[in-house]
Amino acid sequence: MDEIRLISLPKIQDRRGNLSFVEEWRHVPFEIKRSYWIYDVPGGTERGGHAYKENSEFIVALSGSFDVVLHDGEKEWRYSLNRSYYGLLVPKLVWRRMENFSTNSLALVLSSTAYDSDDYIYDFDDFKLITHEK
Ligand code: TYD
């Protein structure tokens, strides 16, 4: 299984403005089946609060900042994302929530699977049972 990790993306610096990019398999260790983005988040809001059985994600703070809090069933990590040239790899079967969104923040999420409501684990106790069976 892939591990939770921060992945640096290329940054092409230019007087006209910087440019970064991301490619499947090269920077993200999966085929990108879906992209979505989270924006206009009111202050104090929390997103997520679930895990996926199969879906892995790569999260980039394209603008502003937010925290991604991850739990693997035993330990919790907090990543503060505030640069558009790195992304956080969140493998499947990791509990995650996103919080502390700054004003005008924009979160880009690249996913390894198409949307499937049956892929969600919403109960933390169920999640712990599943991870402990692994
Ligand atoms: P959800 O994944 O629960 O958001 P978050 O984890 O950030 O709290 O998704 C919120 C709603 O959007 C839910 O009704 C499902 C829908 N949705 C899609 O239809 N397609 C998608 O790719 C995603 C991520 C969500």
Side-chain angles (χ1 to χ4, degrees), residues 69-79 95 97 124:
V69 184
L70 303 177
H71 204 295
D72 69 354
E74 290 187 355
K75 197 173 159 225
E76 185 174 276
W77 294 267
R78 177 180 293 269
Y79 288 87
W95 190 268
R97 68 174 197 272
F124 193 69

Side-chain angles (χ1 to χ4, degrees), residues 34 36 38 47-48 50 115 120:
R34 174 171 52 125
Y36 64 92
I38 298 169
R47 305 275 329 200
H50 54 71
Y115 176 71
Y120 284 67

Side-chain angles (χ1 to χ4, degrees), residues 33-102:
K33 291 275 182 60
R34 174 171 52 125
S35 307
Y36 64 92
W37 44 99
I38 298 169
Y39 55 98
D40 289 349
V41 181
T45 304
E46 206 175 273
R47 305 275 329 200
H50 54 71
Y52 300 110
K53 291 176 230 167
E54 282 304 324
N55 185 43
S56 296
E57 295 194 323
F58 184 77
I59 305 174
V60 185
L62 282 188
S63 180
S65 62
F66 51 85
D67 294 346
V68 185
V69 184
L70 303 177
H71 204 295
D72 69 354
E74 290 187 355
K75 197 173 159 225
E76 185 174 276
W77 294 267
R78 177 180 293 269
Y79 288 87
S80 294
L81 301 186
N82 54 17
R83 294 282 180 268
S84 59
Y85 50 84
Y86 59 81
L88 180 63
L89 179 67
V90 183
K92 64 182 182 180
L93 289 176
V94 173
W95 190 268
R96 53 61 118 24
R97 68 174 197 272
M98 295 160 78
E99 60 189 29
N100 290 334
F101 287 88
S102 70

